[in-house]
Every structure is written in C-alpha cells, then in structure tokens.
C-alpha cells in the first residue's frame, strides 16, 4: 500500500513563491480562532486581486473586523494612508499552522497578518484583529513602529510621549495599519544566485583573532569614504576599509546585531534608539537603516543584497563574518509592550510565563520577555533563521547573546538542552563557529565554561583578571595586589580551570577579551575610575558599576604626559596579555588606536559620535601615539599568527580520561632570578614578575616575560638558548627589553605617516588633512617615553625614601627601649630590605610576601595553577658573575610591561 501524499501545507511557516505566479503563505498560531493574510498595495497601482476580492465600505456601527469575517477574500481602501488592503482568510489550524494560496505574488510585496481569538490577558491570551502583525519568517521589513495607541493591543493613551494604560484592561480597537512595520516578500527561487560566491574562509579556531565592531559606528566618521557610504554595509565592504582590517591582521569580523531591530518603548519615550541592536524585530530580515539611502529607497531586496555583497567582499578579503544574534527575547518587551508579531500570533506558545501568574512573563533577559525554548516550534524557528543567514547570506558563525536563557529547561540551565543539541547536530550550523555569552539574569545565571563541545564562550574571568593585574593593582602601587602569579598563569594558559570540561574541549573554547561593546573601551578603562553615562538620560544609573578601571590620578582626558604615558603602558599591557594568551582573542574595534566613548560604559542608546569611531588621527603629519599603538598591536597579531605554538586547540597541560590535569613538558616557569617558582610563590600576591617558556620541538621556543612592578627589572633567562626581543608592550612608548642592565630605547619621533601623502586639493579629506596638520594631538611618543622614565624614577625615589623613614623610626623605637647591643643589631638587620638575587639587578626590592597562612593553606596538587606544571623544587640561586664578565643571559625588561622573546635558531 502506498503512503498517502503529504498535505500541501504541512511544512515550515513562511512565504513560498509558486510556479503559477502566486504564493503559499504559512504561519503558526496554535490557539487562534481565525487568521487572515493582509496584502498592502498602493492606490496608484491596479490591484492584483480585483477579480477575487469583495470590496468593503464603511458601515455605521459595524467595525471592519466584523465585515472581513463574511468573505474569503475582501478588500478595503484607506484613503488617508493611500493604500489598499486585501485580506485572505486562511485555513487551519493544521498541526498549529494556518495556510492560504494567493493567485499572484511578487518580490517586494508588503504584507502582514491579522489574528482573531480570545481576549483574556490574565490567562496570557491577547488576540486582537485590529493589529497588523509581522510575519516571523519575513525576509524583509519596511517601516517602523510609531509610539501611538495603535501599537498596543490594550486600550492606552500616549501623552507627553508617555504610554498610560493597563495591559490587563480592555482590548484596543485602534487599527495599527500605517503605524507599524510591514513584512516584505523576497523571491528566493533563483538557485544559481549564489553560484559565484567565494568559499567561506573556515579559519581554524586555533588561528582565529576576532574583531568586534558595529556596522554603522565603524565607518560613520570614516574620512576615506564618500558621505553616502559612511555607516553602511557598503562602507564596511569598501576596499580601503578592508585594507585597514587586513593591515591590522585580524581574521574574523564579529558584527553587532544586523537583524532588523526596534527601540524599546522606554527609549522611544525619551526620543532615543537602541543603537546596539539587541532588540530584534525580525529574525530573517537585515536592519534597513545600515544600508545606503539608495538601497533603502529601492526596497527590502536591495537592502538584503547590500548585506550579501558586504559578506562576499569580506570573504574575498580573507575574513570570516560572525554575527551577534539575540534569540533570548523579542522587541515586544513585557505584557505592557507593543504587539508587533509574536504576542499577537501565539503569545502562549512563544514566551515563558510565570508559574504562579500565567498572565505575566518570565524575564531572565532584563528585556521584559524570554522566548520559550522548551517549545519545539520556538527551537525550529531559531534554527530556520540561523540556517537562512548561513546559507543565503553567507554568515560563518554566530555569537548568542545571553546564551544561558536559550538553554533553560523548567527554568534551570542544562548543557543538554534540545536547542544546543539541534545546533551541534545540524550539518550546516554544527560546522560553523558557535559562541555563547554564558550568562543571563535568571537563577544561577553565571555559567562560564559550562557549555560543552562545540561551543566557545566569552571568558569574563580573563577580562577581570587582566584588568585587575594591570590597572587596579598597579594604581594601588604595583607591589601587592589582588591578582597573583597563579591566577595570571591560569589565564595565560587558556583557563583550563573553566574550559577543560569535556574530553576534546580545548583552550580555543575560551574567547579571551578585555573589552567588548558592553562596557568601557580600552582607553576609557585607563581614563575613568567611574562611568559617565549622563548622556543616556538615566541619571547615570545604567551600566555596570564594577569595571576594574583606573584613571591614574586624573578623571578623563588630560595634558599631563606622565598620566598619559602610564595609561598607554597599561592599555598595551592588557592587549599584550590578550594576544599572548592561549585561547581565542577578541578585540573591540578602535582599541588598537585608542578610541574613546568619553567614559560612557553603556552606549547602547547612543547613535551619535559618542559611539562612532574617531579616525581624524590618521591624517596627522607625524605618527601620533594612536599610530604607534596601532602598529604595535598589528605587529603582535602578526607574531601570534606566525607561531605554531598558538595553532593548536589543546591546553598546555594534558587532560586525562578521568578529567584530571597532568603536568606537561611544553611549558616551564621562571622567577626573575632564573629559578623555578616554589609553591608559596604561586600564591604570593607580591610576586608580580615571572617568565613563561613555551617549548615546541618543531620550531623555536618563546618566552613571555611579565614585569608587573613599577621599575625596570633584570631577568636571568634560560641559559640553554639565545634570545631576542620580538615584541614588548613598551614599544609604543619607546622602550624594548635590553641585554644587560638597561632597557633599549626606540626612536619614535619624526616619523611621517603615509595617509597624508599625495592628497589632492580636490579630495574630500583635503580640508581634514590641513586641519590635522595644523593641530597638535597631545603628547608625542617621545614625550610619553621620557615622562614614563621620570615617573618610574620618582616612584623608586619615593619608595626608597619611605623605606629609609621607616628604618629611622624603627631605630628610634629600638633606641628608646634600650635593648642589648646584640639584640639591637639583629633587629636592625631584619628591618633593612634584602635585595632579590636577579643576576645583577639594581632595582628595588619586591614587596613582602603575603602571610604564611595564604601559602600553607593551599594543597600542592589541588591549589596549584590549573593550567601549569606542578611547582618543582627550587634550584640553587645562580652565583653573581664578576662585574668584569657580565652575564649574557641577563636582560632588563621595562617597568610594567609584558614582552615576547624568541629563541634564536
């Protein structure tokens, strides 16, 4: 017996063009009483449905929603909007789906849905046929929501730009057509459309360097672009933009959300927008406002094509494209929010609800609602959307905002969630880069490291460790801080304590970052001790209060070259730690040249110069500190990409089948005097200088040297090799490690830039070049270098003076108590600092170790660095060489620096 044919419409929701010139339209609503497809046409054009539709006229005391129930196809004319609405009654529900076949359809057709059913807000049911709803599967969106009573399914008023009314009151009878966005159909039947697409780069995780940027903000003020391309998809695809990204050396461009967005109501009430885009309106449609004006005027298909062309251009230039996506919530907000799509179609099945109050929504996102990923159809919707972006647009990976909310079953997180399995099992998506933001606002929402293979995760522990070691600890004196060698070593080695959770899961799963779109920029981390979000209009109450930032004595910008120099060194130390650590580094756009948001650490609503990258520094006649930082960062990115030691995804330690870490022969640790750290050294918060040697049988070894104290410091390097400096965070301020007892100075002043050469008077940037050549941009690199040298000497002098005063006080105290001469001698000996054996070091002594209880409380095996070798027995301190025969293994490293040394072959 043959199987019966499948029902024609037993398929996914969506808009499907058919060979007869029409379309099959399918939408999901499991609890509605009736659904209509609404097609919107201009009155200037003849209707495509003249023979099928019954025209409706206004009848006193008879609402149009009552009239449309009478006819399978009907039409009404709205002269004030100059549009014609044709309504097709859909059949269903069939397995929760409603469907209709329309005789004519075209690419660019605007449409939506009207849905009728029960109105019972206290039980979560809010059907309202007066509201025109978007298609959740729409590939294009036209128009925006206006803040008016028409946007809300309940009766309300908008007075003084504020919405008033009860979400549990009466149903609104205000028609929303003309005040809400519309879905736009795009014909995707051409199977050869993407035959010429370049192959996806498919860059291995171990070679990936991520660069996070905002499509608009990256080029909104780019002088090299004509005005019409600034802040657009086409601007990002411009050859000069691509050349800049190639010069920086990153491999993967992570875009803040480019899916269609809508500002939250509370932002609209304050005449602001959601600039970042984490408030999705359409999960298949790109955001139109980032397209050029020409594409916007041409319609949704042209907007989408501009996105496709951008992705193609990035691929051809060698970059992957990763897209930030927000599937944890929609733009509809809480029950008081607008009704634009899901709430009007099937609110019960779409959103999570409070167990004890079904009329209220569960909110683990801080945005008013949370998609219910225990519903198979919600999971299917998300997978369909992701596949569309990967297959049709060409996206190479996705970063999931508030990923924990996507993996909650019965309210609790589980790494075995069906959505995670659906992602990893999909033949297309499972082979792309999948990155989780491992936290949300729900119960036990912080889950860093708890997603399994193949997911990577943002590593907030790396962020906080780097900031505290190089910022707050340094501002506190740089002698004893909150972060010691053990914590730094663990982060440098890939954070195995967090990510060695499954056999086969490697360090590449750790997305290391110091800054991202959410928070201070790198430069602002060193300029501001406190956030300055006043421009957001929330009385500076928004944004995080815990930033681990430091202003080095002055809040905000300053002309004090000493402060500027210390800030620049701190910023480069954090970038150096980021790019020299095992794992996958992610940089924030603009950090490589010192971009600032004026202390705003939550610029999500700032579609303004506060958020836009500032590029004027490119056109100064001589290389500014911005250019020196850019070149130093580019050099380090290139070095990282050239070293095979970083081109592997495992940890430097091995993980046994029992889940235990085993020591590895691939890494060794040294103190400045050349000895191996003992157990107490790992937990000594005053031990801020150490070296990490990475061994590779197939290539040259490297040394990562961290000098976390405010003085140049001598290190005795391993004597079995010759070493040469490859990179140092002090380069941008004029210093490099030097053999012997002094650092090496670099010549930075007087270097011309290439960007100002041969700029014709007819060029759009000619005036900018002239202005920048006539202005000084703060301190020069040489001034920063001299200021930092003087600052370190002043610190050393102050510490020596403080130590002498302390010794004098101790001597006076001893003298008053008149001890025996022999006892007094012993007491004075204990008060005088003893220099650390550093192979000829003349620097000041490191601060005293933390209390003995801090060291003895740690068990050697369990408490040692989770991704380092077990501390070996101390070797005998090397004997000091005679002054006439300097030790060739001693190098001096700049104060407060991180350096990369390469083995000479």
């Amino acid at each position: 017996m043959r199987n019966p044919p499948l029902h024609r419409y037993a398929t996914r929701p969506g808009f499907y063009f058919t060979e007869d010139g029409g379309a099959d339209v399918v939408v999901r609503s499991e609890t509605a009483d009736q659904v209509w497809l609404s097609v919107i046409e201009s009155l200037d054009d003849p209707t495509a449905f003249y023979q099928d539709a019954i025209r409706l006229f206004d009848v006193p005391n008879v609402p149009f929603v009552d009239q449309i129930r009478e006819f399978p196809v009907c039409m009404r004319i709205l002269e004030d909007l100059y549009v014609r609405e044709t309504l097709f009654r859909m059949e269903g529900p069939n397995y929760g789906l409603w469907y209709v076949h329309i005789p004519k359809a075209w690419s660019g057709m605007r449409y939506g849905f009207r849905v009728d059913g029960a109105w019972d807000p206290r039980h979560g049911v809010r059907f309202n046929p007066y509201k025109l709803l978007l298609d959740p599967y729409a590939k294009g969106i036209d128009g925006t929501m206006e803040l008016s009573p028409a946007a809300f399914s309940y009766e309300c008023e908008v007075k003084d730009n504020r919405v008033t009314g009860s979400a549990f009151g009466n149903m609104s009878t205000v028609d929303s057509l003309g005040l809400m966005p519309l879905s736009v159909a795009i014909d995707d039947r051409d199977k050869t459309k993407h035959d010429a697409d370049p192959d996806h780069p498919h860059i291995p995780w171990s070679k990936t360097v991520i660069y996070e940027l905002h499509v608009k903000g990256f080029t909104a003020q780019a002088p090299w672009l004509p005005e019409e391309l600034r802040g657009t998809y086409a601007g990002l695809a411009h050859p000069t933009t691509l050349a800049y990204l190639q010069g920086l050396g990153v491999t993967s461009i992570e875009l803040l959300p480019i899916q269609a967005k809508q500002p939250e109501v509370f932002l609209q009430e304050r005449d602001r927008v959601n600039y970042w885009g984490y408030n999705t309106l359409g999960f298949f449609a790109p955001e139109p406002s980032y397209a050029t004006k020409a594409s916007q005027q041409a319609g949704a298909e042209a907007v989408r094509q501009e996105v496709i062309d951008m992705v193609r251009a990035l691929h051809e230039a060698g970059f992957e494209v990763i897209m930030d996506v927000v599937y944890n919530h929609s733009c509809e907000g809480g029950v008081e929010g607008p009704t634009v799509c899901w709430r009007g179609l099937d609110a019960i099945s779409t959103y999570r609800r409070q167990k004890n109050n079904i009329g209220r929504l569960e909110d683990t996102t801080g945005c008013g609602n949370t998609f219910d990923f225990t519903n198979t159809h919600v999971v299917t919707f998300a997978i369909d959307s992701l596949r569309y972006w990967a297959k049709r647009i060409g996206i190479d990976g996705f970063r999931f905002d508030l990923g924990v909310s996507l993996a909650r079953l019965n309210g609790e997180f589980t790494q075995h969630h069906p959505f995670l399995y659906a992602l990893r099992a999909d033949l297309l998506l499972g082979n792309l880069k999948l990155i989780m933001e491992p936290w949300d606002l729900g119960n036990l929402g912080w889950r860093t490291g708890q997603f399994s293979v193949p997911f990577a995760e943002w590593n907030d522990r790396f962020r906080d460790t780097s900031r505290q070691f190089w910022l707050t600890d340094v501002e506190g004196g740089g002698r004893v801080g909150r972060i010691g060698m053990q914590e730094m070593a663990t982060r440098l080695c890939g954070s195995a304590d967090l990510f060695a959770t499954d056999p086969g899961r490697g360090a590449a799963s750790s997305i290391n970052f110091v800054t991202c779109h959410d928070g201070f920029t790198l430069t602002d981390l060193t300029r501001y001790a406190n956030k300055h979000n006043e421009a957001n209009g929330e009385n500076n109450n928004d944004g995080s209060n815990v930033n681990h930032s430091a202003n080095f004595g002055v809040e905000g910008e300053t002309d004090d070259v000493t402060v500027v120099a210390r800030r620049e060194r701190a910023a480069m130390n954090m970038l150096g730690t980021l790019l020299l650590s095992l794992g996958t580094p992610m940089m924030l756009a603009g950090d490589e040249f010192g971009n600032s948001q004026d202390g705003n650490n939550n610029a999500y609503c700032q579609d303004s110069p506060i958020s836009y990258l500032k590029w004027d520094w490119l056109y100064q006649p001589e290389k500014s500190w911005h250019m020196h930082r850019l070149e130093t960062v580019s050099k380090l990115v290139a070095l990282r990409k050239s070293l095979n030691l970083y081109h592997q995804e495992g940890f430097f330690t091995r993980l046994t089948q029992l889940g235990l870490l085993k020591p590895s022969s691939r890494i060794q640790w040294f103190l400045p005097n050349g000895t191996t750290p003992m157990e107490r050294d790992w937990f000594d918060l005053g031990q801020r200088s150490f070296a990490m040697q990475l061994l590779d049988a197939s290539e040259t070894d490297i040394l990562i040297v961290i000098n976390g104290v405010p003085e140049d410091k001598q290190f005795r390097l391993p004597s079995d090799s010759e070493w040469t400096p490859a990179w140092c965070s002090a380069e941008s301020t004029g210093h490099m490690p030097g053999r012997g007892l002094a650092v090496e100075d670099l010549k930075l002043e007087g270097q011309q830039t290439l960007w100002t050469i041969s700029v014709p008077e007819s060029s759009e940037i000619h005036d900018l070049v002239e202005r920048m050549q006539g202005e000084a941009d703060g301190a020069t690199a040489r001034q920063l270098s001299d200021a930092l040298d003087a600052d370190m000497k002043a610190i050393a002098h102050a510490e020596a003076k403080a130590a002498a005063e302390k010794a004098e006080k101790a001597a006076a105290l001893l003298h008053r108590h008149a001890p025996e001469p022999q006892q007094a001698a012993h007491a004075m000996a204990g008060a005088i600092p003893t220099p650390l054996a550093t192979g000829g070091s003349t620097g000041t002594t490191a601060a005293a170790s933390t209390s003995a209880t801090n060291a003895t409380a740690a068990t050697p095996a369990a408490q040692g660095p989770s991704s380092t070798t077990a501390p070996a027995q101390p070797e005998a301190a090397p004997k000091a060489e005679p002054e006439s025969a300097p030790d060739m293994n001693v190098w001096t490293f700049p104060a407060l620096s991180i350096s990369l040394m390469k083995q000479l072959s």
Side-chain angles (χ1 to χ4, degrees):
M1 178 178 176
R2 300 177 64 183
N3 291 327
L6 293 175
H7 192 285
R8 177 178 180 182
Y9 300 103
T11 181
R12 291 280 207 276
F15 194 107
Y16 302 96
F17 287 87
T18 55
E19 297 303 321
D20 62 357
D24 293 338
V25 184
V26 187
V27 69
R28 175 170 293 282
S29 181
E30 299 180 20
T31 51
D33 293 340
Q34 184 59 59
V35 180
W36 292 268
L37 170 69
S38 170
V39 178
I40 310 300
E41 301 171 280
S42 171
L43 291 182
D44 284 335
D45 301 317
T47 178
F49 312 108
Y50 177 71
Q51 294 183 344
D52 303 295
I54 302 297
R55 182 177 173 183
L56 303 178
F57 292 87
D58 291 338
V59 178
N61 301 319
V62 180
F64 82 91
V65 296
D66 290 340
Q67 296 183 53
I68 66 178
R69 295 187 177 98
E70 298 182 31
F71 309 102
V73 184
C74 57
M75 179 187 301
R76 66 190 191 114
I77 293 176
L78 292 88
E79 294 182 358
D80 56 333
L81 299 177
Y82 211 69
V83 298
R84 180 188 301 111
E85 180 184 17
T86 304
L87 292 140
F88 298 83
R89 189 164 61 204
M90 304 181 75
E91 298 180 33
N94 182 38
Y95 299 104
L97 298 175
W98 296 78
Y99 48 87
V100 70
H101 178 77
I102 56 177
K104 293 183 180 179
W106 56 94
S107 194
M109 188 177 83
R110 299 186 300 164
Y111 69 101
F113 298 103
R114 294 187 185 271
V115 184
D116 198 7
W119 176 262
D120 189 357
R122 299 198 179 279
H123 289 88
V125 183
R126 297 172 177 272
F127 292 113
N128 186 337
Y130 289 93
K131 307 306 169 185
L132 191 61
L133 308 174
L134 288 174
D135 179 1
Y137 279 73
K139 296 171 182 174
I141 291 179
D142 179 34
T144 58
M145 185 195 95
E146 293 187 16
L147 191 62
S148 77
F152 302 86
S153 60
Y154 58 92
E155 286 185 351
C156 64
E157 293 182 340
V158 178
K159 291 183 178 180
D160 299 325
N161 222 34
R162 293 291 187 274
V163 180
T164 59
S166 172
F168 298 94
N170 296 328
M171 184 182 79
S172 168
T173 57
V174 181
D175 188 4
S176 67
L177 178 58
L179 301 170
M180 300 293 285
L182 296 172
S183 305
V184 180
I186 296 178
D187 191 349
D188 266 336
R189 286 177 293 173
D190 185 355
K191 302 298 183 184
T192 64
K193 180 179 294 187
H194 294 276
D195 285 353
D197 275 8
D199 291 335
H200 293 198
H202 288 302
I203 297 167
W205 271 114
S206 57
K207 296 184 179 182
T208 298
V209 179
I210 298 174
Y211 188 71
E212 187 195 43
L213 63 81
H214 189 285
V215 166
K216 181 176 183 178
F218 191 72
T219 61
Q221 298 184 139
W224 62 84
L225 292 176
E227 188 67 35
E228 64 270 16
L229 295 186
R230 294 180 186 177
T232 68
Y233 301 115
L236 186 56
H238 190 273
T240 305
T241 310
L242 298 175
Y244 173 84
L245 294 171
Q246 287 182 336
L248 180 58
V250 296
T251 68
S252 306
I253 309 302
E254 182 174 320
L255 306 177
L256 267 67
I258 61 171
Q259 293 172 326
K261 63 179 180 177
Q262 178 172 287
E264 295 89 337
V265 170
F266 77 90
L267 285 176
Q268 295 185 59
E269 289 177 334
R270 302 204 311 271
D271 293 324
R272 286 177 172 80
V273 299
N274 189 318
Y275 168 73
W276 285 348
Y278 291 91
N279 208 48
T280 310
L281 173 65
F283 289 89
F284 286 77
E287 170 55 34
S289 66
Y290 300 157
T292 57
K293 295 299 182 184
S295 293
Q296 293 182 48
Q297 293 170 1
E301 190 167 4
V303 169
R304 189 185 71 163
Q305 188 59 47
E306 188 173 320
V307 176
I308 292 172
D309 291 342
M310 174 194 71
V311 174
R312 286 181 179 177
L314 286 163
H315 284 171
E316 289 172 350
F319 300 107
E320 286 183 318
V321 182
I322 299 172
M323 192 170 80
D324 222 336
V325 290
V326 188
Y327 289 94
N328 55 77
H329 76 283
S330 80
C331 66
E332 291 184 316
V335 293
E336 289 82 7
T339 295
V340 297
C341 181
W342 305 273
R343 174 173 289 129
L345 281 168
D346 204 352
I348 291 290
S349 301
T350 301
Y351 296 124
R352 288 182 57 196
R353 302 195 165 271
Q354 296 179 8
K355 293 180 180 179
N356 299 324
N357 184 1
I358 195 173
R360 286 287 181 183
L361 302 181
E362 191 72 49
D363 181 14
T364 61
T365 66
C367 301
N369 66 63
T370 307
F371 276 125
D372 185 1
F373 272 82
T374 63
N375 187 315
T376 301
H377 301 299
V378 173
V379 172
T380 301
F381 167 72
I383 295 294
D384 287 347
S385 169
L386 292 165
R387 285 183 59 85
Y388 171 78
W389 283 93
K391 186 174 182 179
R392 177 58 76 190
I393 310 300
I395 300 299
D396 304 294
F398 302 94
R399 178 265 187 187
F400 295 88
D401 181 67
L402 299 182
V404 173
S405 284
L406 311 179
R408 287 186 178 272
L409 281 177
N410 297 321
E412 301 303 323
F413 170 82
T414 173
Q415 63 179 240
H416 306 295
H417 194 283
F419 178 60
L420 303 184
Y421 280 178
L423 286 172
R424 68 207 298 186
D426 189 272
L427 290 177
L428 174 59
L429 301 177
N431 287 304
L432 302 180
K433 285 187 166 69
L434 302 174
I435 303 170
M436 290 292 171
E437 184 180 40
W439 48 80
D440 71 0
L441 301 183
N443 180 47
L444 301 176
W446 225 260
R447 298 286 180 166
T448 306
Q450 296 181 35
F451 289 83
S452 57
V453 176
F455 301 104
E457 304 172 42
W458 279 19
N459 187 349
D460 53 304
R461 286 280 295 278
F462 183 95
R463 173 198 65 197
D464 295 344
T465 295
S466 301
R467 291 184 181 187
Q468 290 179 80
F469 187 86
W470 292 116
L471 290 177
T472 55
D473 286 0
V474 169
E475 194 176 46
R479 296 300 181 184
V480 179
R482 297 181 60 185
I483 301 299
M485 187 168 68
Q486 189 268 349
E487 175 68 13
M488 281 292 286
T490 302
R491 303 302 148 227
L492 285 165
C493 290
S495 298
D497 61 328
L498 300 173
F499 293 95
T501 55
D502 303 316
R505 195 179 196 207
S509 298
S510 172
I511 304 297
N512 298 332
F513 69 104
V514 177
T515 56
C516 65
H517 67 275
D518 187 1
F520 281 138
T521 67
L522 186 69
T523 293
D524 287 352
L525 275 176
T526 68
R527 284 185 180 178
Y528 298 93
N530 303 294
K531 63 185 181 183
H532 294 271
N533 300 350
E534 291 81 5
N536 295 354
E538 298 181 45
N539 298 317
N540 206 32
N541 292 319
D542 62 307
S544 175
N545 293 317
V546 181
N547 300 289
H548 304 300
S549 62
N551 64 15
F552 294 95
V554 179
E555 188 78 352
E557 288 191 79
T558 180
D559 293 330
D560 187 326
V561 290
T562 299
V563 174
V564 173
R566 297 189 73 183
R567 290 172 173 177
E568 181 63 16
R569 182 67 58 86
M572 291 307 305
N573 285 334
M574 289 184 284
L575 282 174
T577 304
L578 173 68
L579 290 164
L580 290 175
S581 295
L582 192 64
T584 303
M586 182 185 78
M587 298 171 55
L588 174 65
D591 280 353
E592 72 276 13
F593 61 77
N595 190 63
S596 170
Q597 293 180 170
D598 301 326
N600 194 319
N601 77 344
N602 190 37
Y604 77 105
C605 60
Q606 291 298 327
D607 190 353
S608 70
I610 290 176
S611 295
Y612 304 158
L613 269 62
K614 293 85 173 168
W615 296 100
D616 289 0
W617 57 272
L618 277 172
Y619 299 95
Q620 292 179 348
E622 293 187 2
K623 289 184 178 180
S624 63
W625 66 268
H626 306 273
M627 182 63 76
H628 284 298
R629 184 193 288 194
L630 173 61
E631 292 179 344
T632 305
V633 174
S634 301
K635 177 182 177 182
L636 182 56
V637 173
L639 278 167
R640 179 188 175 95
K641 291 165 68 176
S642 72
L643 294 169
N644 288 332
L645 279 162
Y646 289 99
H647 299 167
Q648 48 89 30
E649 296 185 15
F651 296 98
F652 287 135
T653 53
R654 292 175 293 161
L655 190 66
T656 71
Q657 292 182 347
L658 299 176
L660 302 175
L661 290 170
K662 296 179 65 175
S664 171
S665 59
R666 302 183 58 190
I667 183 169
Q668 293 179 355
W669 299 91
F670 302 97
L671 296 177
N673 62 7
T675 62
T676 303
M678 294 187 294
E679 181 185 347
R680 65 174 179 270
D681 296 313
W682 292 109
F683 300 97
D684 180 0
L685 296 180
Q687 184 56 264
R688 295 178 52 83
S689 299
F690 58 92
M692 166 185 175
Q693 182 178 6
L694 304 181
L695 306 128
D696 193 325
S698 62
E699 66 170 16
T700 57
D701 297 347
I702 63 172
L703 270 173
I704 298 171
V705 182
I706 288 182
N707 181 18
V709 296
E711 65 196 22
D712 295 348
K713 196 170 190 65
Q714 284 80 52
F715 281 73
R716 184 185 294 278
L717 304 187
S719 59
D720 56 351
S721 304
E722 281 288 314
W723 302 95
T724 185
W727 182 90
C728 181
S729 60
E731 285 184 49
S732 62
T733 49
H735 297 102
M736 282 289 282
R739 188 189 294 275
L741 305 183
V743 299
E744 180 181 347
D745 290 334
L746 300 177
K747 183 178 184 298
L748 298 179
E749 66 273 13
Q751 299 179 15
Q752 299 295 314
T753 66
L754 300 176
W755 294 85
T756 58
I757 297 176
S758 303
V759 177
E761 292 188 7
S762 59
S763 170
E764 294 183 2
I765 65 171
H766 179 74
D767 292 342
L768 170 63
V769 172
E770 285 195 336
R771 175 171 64 82
M772 294 306 297
Q773 289 181 344
E775 295 180 1
D777 185 37
T780 66
R782 185 71 266 161
Q783 287 174 321
L784 297 184
S785 176
D786 294 341
L788 194 62
D789 288 342
D791 187 38
M792 295 302 104
K793 291 178 181 177
I795 290 173
H797 177 74
E799 289 181 342
K801 182 178 179 181
E805 291 175 352
K806 184 177 180 180
E808 289 179 3
K809 290 181 181 179
L813 182 64
L814 288 172
H815 180 72
R816 282 201 304 270
H817 290 282
E820 294 294 326
Q822 188 175 4
Q823 294 174 336
H826 285 302
M828 286 298 294
I832 299 174
T834 304
L836 182 68
T838 58
S841 171
T842 58
T844 58
T845 309
S849 301
T850 53
S851 65
T853 56
N854 203 16
T856 57
T859 307
Q863 297 286 339
S866 58
S867 54
T868 65
T869 57
Q873 292 299 317
E875 298 177 3
K879 296 181 179 179
E881 296 289 343
E883 292 185 6
S884 58
D887 191 336
M888 299 303 292
N889 291 323
V890 171
W891 286 74
T892 299
F893 290 82
L896 298 172
S897 68
I898 178 171
S899 306
L900 174 66
M901 305 289 288
K902 289 186 69 175
Q903 183 185 41
L904 289 174
S905 55

